[in-house]
Amino acid sequence: MANLDLMRELAIEGQTKILLLVMDGLGGLPLKPDGPTELEAARTPNLDALAARSICGMSTPITPGITPGSGPGHMALFGYDPLQYEIGRGVLEALGIGFDLQPADLAARGNFCTLDSQGLITDRRAGRIPTQVGTKLCEKLRQVRLPGVETFVEPVKEYRFVLVLRGEDLYDGLTETDPQQTGKPPLPVEPLRPEATSTAKLLNQWLAEARKLLSDEHPANGCNLRGIAKDPGLPLMPQVYKLRCGAIATYPMYRGVAKLAGMDVLPTGDTIETEVETLQDHWADYDFFFFHVKKTDSRGEDGDFAAKAQVIEHLDSVMPDILALEPDVVIITGDHSTPAALKAHSWHELPILLWSKHIRPDGVSEFGERPCMTGGLGHIYHPDLLPLAMAYAGRLAKFGA
Amino acid sequence: MANLDLMRELAIEGQTKILLLVMDGLGGLPLKPDGPTELEAARTPNLDALAARSICGMSTPITPGITPGSGPGHMALFGYDPLQYEIGRGVLEALGIGFDLQPADLAARGNFCTLDSQGLITDRRAGRIPTQVGTKLCEKLRQVRLPGVETFVEPVKEYRFVLVLRGEDLYDGLTETDPQQTGKPPLPVEPLRPEATSTAKLLNQWLAEARKLLSDEHPANGCNLRGIAKDPGLPLMPQVYKLRCGAIATYPMYRGVAKLAGMDVLPTGDTIETEVETLQDHWADYDFFFFHVKKTDSRGEDGDFAAKAQVIEHLDSVMPDILALEPDVVIITGDHSTPAALKAHSWHELPILLWSKHIRPDGVSEFGERPCMTGGLGHIYHPDLLPLAMAYAGRLAKFGA
């Protein structure tokens, strides 16, 4: 599989432009055995015409059978092996709400929970309290002060929140407090390496004061911290690939992951049309664009087959505007499958379309899961997509003499 | 992917014969989207008939998107992971001119350059002086003597030469002197490990005297050394695979790489016909033959689509003579693609044909990139080809009980 050291060694600068178009959760399933998938059901004359001039295939985001979360799915698309480069849950949660995370910040995903009179957990999600209630509780928790560090408590959804510590000498490598079952007390934060000892102490102090403040609440009279982590300090795409990278995404999570990878996050609006305008406006300024379409995944999670197909048709309708910019390499795929039939992310492979002047035509003339299964790219892995794009863009030197 | 320890453990001796037929730079591209590749355009009745009795597929030499040089491309065909087993540029250059490199020799690729009066490089290639001039300068540089080691200076082409040091206690692990940009002075050779310190000193002494001798030349009044390296001491094919290995190639580079892998290099002539005669003459003496056809790559590099197709037709015409020898396993592929459309090595996969009595027919009845995309071998990697050949030749024991 692709490796970043090799990319760093071989990448060369150029004038060519690469467009990575990600329809989140693109991969689907038929509702009945003979039926089409969402992508196959969608009327997509522009994508089909492009597929006919492209080389197609199927791609596995991580390894066969593994269902990726949004973080690892995108990491893989950006060329990082998600098993080697992990982003902690706390960091992903903070990015997901658009929190302006700094490299030295420590972030944790918080869960409100219910404790009995002996301090044992009776409900790990505090009866899934409404977001409104969670928001008020977060306001309360902002009273907690820690010596020498700034704290941020931000609501997410229902019983979930984000805790961020900002200061010097904060270390990750810390255990979670959620014992993962009821009838047990929350665990203390423990350091997994010596440097993290004082950070563990700070977090335990925060937890003690937080639980004191929550003690007369009901049902959310306690809380847990999970996935306590820092920005992993990834090798940055502009340095590894010698690409000026711009990210266009309507949701904070994807902007955040792109930022961790070293992309410039371009301000955009809420619709696919505004994303296309952003692409047009910045076309001259970047070599690589990550263009993210969110709602394929949202409608898949809703279990709404027709609505997911409509989002794909919507994207299809703007393809002429996108292609009018004359990118040198276009890759279209998703970060993971989200079949409406499953109402959830899944492990299924993603259809891929790769267009450039230098492809070998493979006879695939429709962009869909079944046609792509016979495509000339065969079955590949997400982290190989960016190296392929680099090669087709003429941006990789020869390896060895 | 294949690993040599496993091969060493499982390889068994036998009476069967394996033929690896390499058309250098075989993979191509169509000149227009609907057109054939060079291989598809060539009239190849014998290869097509063989494909119909074979299992076919596509193979990636290194990893997706990586364009191999000749060295790594052949290493992969010989079963070595080219990312693990690297051959230094100096060694490849020496092999490329047919220099009889010994295991203890240290070889460097030299470049003549132009220096200004302050010793800064103004042209890294000395105005691409003609080969004739380079040859004269090499003769001059043969005057440089070093204590305790023998030196060889051999011209390559234009501004390129090879420097070989022969003696005891020469170590590689040395930096290059070319700063890779003009306006800077040549760098000294620095040791990257303590053992290489005295070798660095010798090379710096050679460089100082060489530059003194060149100082009144124009424009080649300086020189640089790159890719300073020794024979990497590969695990040898006869020991790993228990195969008596013979190499038939018309160009020094391929004979050299085969020799590094432990093959006997068989004297042959300049044409495919003489190569076939060599194969016939030595058929009884070896279990494995590497048969190399150079000119597919040369015509691809020339950008001459029709001439590349003609070389393939030429090889096709001798296939009956080759098959009359009754090999047990035949693999036909290339070390990398060299599409005439690109006039250069490329990253595209190679078509593969594997024939033996024991294959599962896959319905592919023509040897070409598009037919091979649907072949029964799927998409594999070059280092897996030799283990497959070993298996089909009945030369690998079962793994585990």
Side-chain angles (χ1 to χ4, degrees):
Chain A
M1 196 187 283
N3 86 52
L4 297 184
D5 288 339
L6 192 58
M7 289 296 111
R8 203 191 298 268
E9 182 188 329
L10 300 180
I12 47 180
E13 292 183 6
Q15 301 298 316
T16 49
K17 291 192 189 287
I18 298 170
L19 172 65
L20 173 66
L21 205 165
V22 178
M23 284 187 269
D24 204 294
L26 176 64
L29 281 174
L31 295 180
K32 48 182 188 179
D34 292 342
T37 65
E38 296 91 321
L39 175 59
E40 290 164 1
R43 214 189 135 265
T44 53
N46 295 308
L47 289 170
D48 294 344
L50 187 62
R53 295 185 289 127
S54 297
I55 188 162
C56 293
M58 297 299 282
S59 186
T60 295
I62 302 179
T63 54
I66 304 305
T67 297
S70 298
H74 277 84
M75 290 292 286
L77 284 169
F78 300 159
Y80 302 91
D81 174 357
L83 298 177
Q84 186 183 350
Y85 296 97
E86 280 194 63
I87 304 179
R89 176 178 294 258
V91 170
L92 283 174
E93 289 285 340
L95 298 176
I97 57 167
F99 185 88
D100 185 23
L101 200 72
Q102 302 299 307
D105 289 354
L106 186 81
R109 149 82 174 266
N111 285 352
F112 291 109
C113 66
T114 309
L115 303 173
D116 67 14
S117 58
Q118 301 187 302
L120 306 181
I121 298 173
T122 57
D123 186 333
R124 292 174 53 233
R125 297 182 184 86
R128 292 187 182 271
I129 47 167
T131 305
Q132 242 174 317
V133 176
T135 304
K136 286 218 161 153
L137 295 173
C138 285
E139 278 163 25
K140 203 168 180 181
L141 293 184
R142 286 182 191 139
Q143 296 170 40
V144 180
R145 294 276 176 269
L146 291 177
V149 303
E150 202 177 346
T151 58
F152 302 85
V153 186
E154 301 294 337
V156 182
K157 203 180 158 189
E158 299 175 345
Y159 60 92
R160 305 175 188 95
F161 66 92
V162 170
L163 170 67
V164 175
L165 270 50
R166 179 168 294 166
E168 310 224 326
D169 299 326
L170 295 169
Y171 288 91
D172 55 11
L174 297 153
T175 61
E176 307 191 329
T177 72
D178 187 340
Q180 300 274 354
Q181 45 183 305
T182 53
K184 305 244 165 146
L187 304 167
V189 175
E190 306 267 15
L192 293 168
R193 47 183 188 148
E195 308 91 292
T197 307
S198 64
T199 308
K201 210 171 140 189
L202 279 173
L203 286 166
N204 287 321
Q205 182 180 338
W206 186 89
L207 281 163
E209 297 195 27
R211 286 180 192 135
K212 217 178 288 169
L213 287 171
L214 294 173
S215 60
D216 58 353
E217 296 285 343
H218 180 81
N221 63 348
C223 66
N224 275 305
L225 296 180
R226 301 186 60 184
I228 307 164
K230 295 176 75 168
D231 176 336
L234 301 174
L236 300 179
M237 286 178 66
Q239 277 142 43
V240 174
Y241 298 98
K242 301 191 179 76
L243 292 171
R244 297 170 300 163
C245 298
I248 303 172
T250 59
Y251 272 54
M253 163 77 89
Y254 311 98
R255 293 201 286 262
V257 177
K259 193 174 140 196
L260 289 186
M263 296 187 216
D264 286 353
V265 175
L266 308 178
T268 192
D270 281 340
T271 64
I272 291 177
E273 280 74 13
T274 53
E275 290 187 270
V276 173
E277 278 168 33
T278 305
L279 184 69
Q280 290 163 335
D281 291 347
H282 292 84
W283 188 249
D285 308 332
Y286 294 92
D287 308 305
F288 171 90
F289 290 91
F290 158 52
F291 187 108
H292 184 260
V293 174
K294 171 63 186 169
K295 295 215 157 69
T296 26
D297 178 59
S298 316
R299 298 297 82 79
E301 297 248 12
D302 296 343
D304 193 336
F305 185 100
K308 184 176 166 191
Q310 272 167 25
V311 179
I312 297 168
E313 292 183 354
H314 187 173
L315 189 274
D316 186 80
S317 72
V318 303
M319 283 308 297
D321 295 330
I322 291 177
L323 296 178
L325 294 167
E326 300 188 354
D328 296 279
V329 180
V330 179
I331 289 182
I332 306 180
T333 188
D335 54 340
H336 53 73
S337 294
T338 307
L342 298 180
K343 295 188 182 184
H345 291 199
S346 81
W347 60 93
H348 298 86
E349 284 176 297
L350 275 299
I352 333 159
L353 173 165
L354 188 161
W355 178 84
S356 110
K357 268 193 306 219
H358 304 305
I359 59 100
R360 289 180 183 144
D362 59 3
V364 174
S365 58
E366 190 199 324
F367 191 43
E369 284 83 349
R370 266 164 280 207
C372 284
M373 283 179 195
T374 66
L377 280 174
H379 296 257
I380 64 175
Y381 288 88
H382 270 31
D384 289 324
L385 291 172
L386 193 50
L388 276 173
M390 289 286 291
Y392 279 98
R395 285 174 170 270
L396 285 183
K398 189 162 66 174
F399 174 70
Chain B
M1 200 186 279
N3 87 52
L4 298 184
D5 289 339
L6 192 58
M7 288 296 110
R8 203 191 299 267
E9 182 187 329
L10 302 181
I12 48 180
E13 291 184 6
Q15 300 299 315
T16 50
K17 291 193 189 288
I18 298 169
L19 172 64
L20 173 65
L21 204 165
V22 178
M23 283 187 268
D24 205 294
L26 176 63
L29 280 175
L31 294 181
K32 48 181 188 180
D34 292 343
T37 64
E38 296 90 323
L39 175 59
E40 290 164 1
R43 214 187 134 267
T44 52
N46 296 306
L47 289 170
D48 294 343
L50 187 62
R53 297 185 287 128
S54 299
I55 188 161
C56 292
M58 297 299 281
S59 186
T60 294
I62 301 179
T63 54
I66 304 304
T67 296
S70 298
H74 277 85
M75 289 293 287
L77 284 169
F78 300 160
Y80 302 90
D81 174 357
L83 297 177
Q84 186 183 350
Y85 296 98
E86 280 194 63
I87 305 179
R89 178 177 291 258
V91 170
L92 283 173
E93 289 286 339
L95 298 175
I97 57 166
F99 186 88
D100 185 23
L101 200 72
Q102 302 299 308
D105 289 354
L106 186 81
R109 149 81 175 267
N111 285 351
F112 291 109
C113 66
T114 309
L115 303 174
D116 68 13
S117 58
Q118 302 188 301
L120 307 180
I121 298 173
T122 57
D123 186 334
R124 292 175 53 232
R125 297 182 184 86
R128 292 187 183 272
I129 45 167
T131 305
Q132 241 174 317
V133 176
T135 304
K136 285 217 162 155
L137 295 173
C138 286
E139 278 162 25
K140 202 166 182 182
L141 293 184
R142 286 184 191 137
Q143 298 170 37
V144 180
R145 295 274 176 270
L146 291 176
V149 302
E150 201 177 348
T151 57
F152 302 85
V153 187
E154 302 293 338
V156 182
K157 203 182 159 188
E158 298 175 348
Y159 60 91
R160 306 177 188 93
F161 66 91
V162 169
L163 170 68
V164 175
L165 269 52
R166 179 168 294 166
E168 310 226 323
D169 299 325
L170 295 170
Y171 288 92
D172 56 11
L174 296 154
T175 60
E176 308 191 329
T177 72
D178 187 340
Q180 301 274 352
Q181 46 184 307
T182 53
K184 305 244 167 148
L187 305 166
V189 176
E190 306 268 14
L192 294 167
R193 47 183 188 146
E195 308 92 291
T197 307
S198 63
T199 309
K201 212 172 139 188
L202 279 173
L203 287 166
N204 286 321
Q205 183 180 338
W206 186 89
L207 281 163
E209 298 195 27
R211 286 182 192 132
K212 217 178 290 171
L213 287 171
L214 295 173
S215 60
D216 57 353
E217 298 285 343
H218 180 79
N221 63 349
C223 65
N224 276 304
L225 297 180
R226 301 185 60 183
I228 308 164
K230 295 177 74 168
D231 176 336
L234 301 174
L236 300 179
M237 287 178 66
Q239 277 141 44
V240 174
Y241 298 98
K242 301 190 178 75
L243 292 170
R244 297 170 300 163
C245 298
I248 303 171
T250 59
Y251 272 55
M253 163 77 89
Y254 312 97
R255 293 200 286 262
V257 177
K259 193 176 142 195
L260 289 186
M263 296 188 215
D264 287 352
V265 176
L266 308 177
T268 192
D270 282 340
T271 64
I272 292 178
E273 279 75 11
T274 54
E275 291 188 271
V276 173
E277 278 168 33
T278 306
L279 184 69
Q280 289 163 335
D281 292 348
H282 292 83
W283 189 249
D285 309 332
Y286 294 94
D287 308 305
F288 172 89
F289 290 91
F290 159 53
F291 187 109
H292 184 258
V293 174
K294 171 62 186 170
K295 295 215 158 66
T296 26
D297 178 58
S298 315
R299 298 297 84 78
E301 296 247 12
D302 295 342
D304 193 335
F305 185 100
K308 183 176 166 190
Q310 272 167 26
V311 178
I312 299 168
E313 292 183 353
H314 187 174
L315 188 274
D316 186 80
S317 71
V318 303
M319 283 308 298
D321 296 331
I322 291 176
L323 296 178
L325 294 166
E326 300 189 353
D328 297 279
V329 180
V330 179
I331 289 181
I332 306 180
T333 188
D335 54 339
H336 53 75
S337 293
T338 306
L342 299 179
K343 294 188 183 185
H345 291 200
S346 82
W347 60 93
H348 297 87
E349 285 175 296
L350 274 301
I352 333 159
L353 172 166
L354 189 160
W355 178 84
S356 108
K357 268 192 309 217
H358 305 304
I359 59 97
R360 293 182 181 140
D362 59 3
V364 174
S365 58
E366 190 200 325
F367 191 41
E369 284 84 350
R370 264 165 280 209
C372 284
M373 282 179 193
T374 67
L377 280 176
H379 296 254
I380 64 175
Y381 286 87
H382 270 32
D384 290 324
L385 292 172
L386 193 51
L388 275 174
M390 289 286 291
Y392 279 99
R395 285 174 170 271
L396 284 184
K398 188 161 66 178
F399 174 69

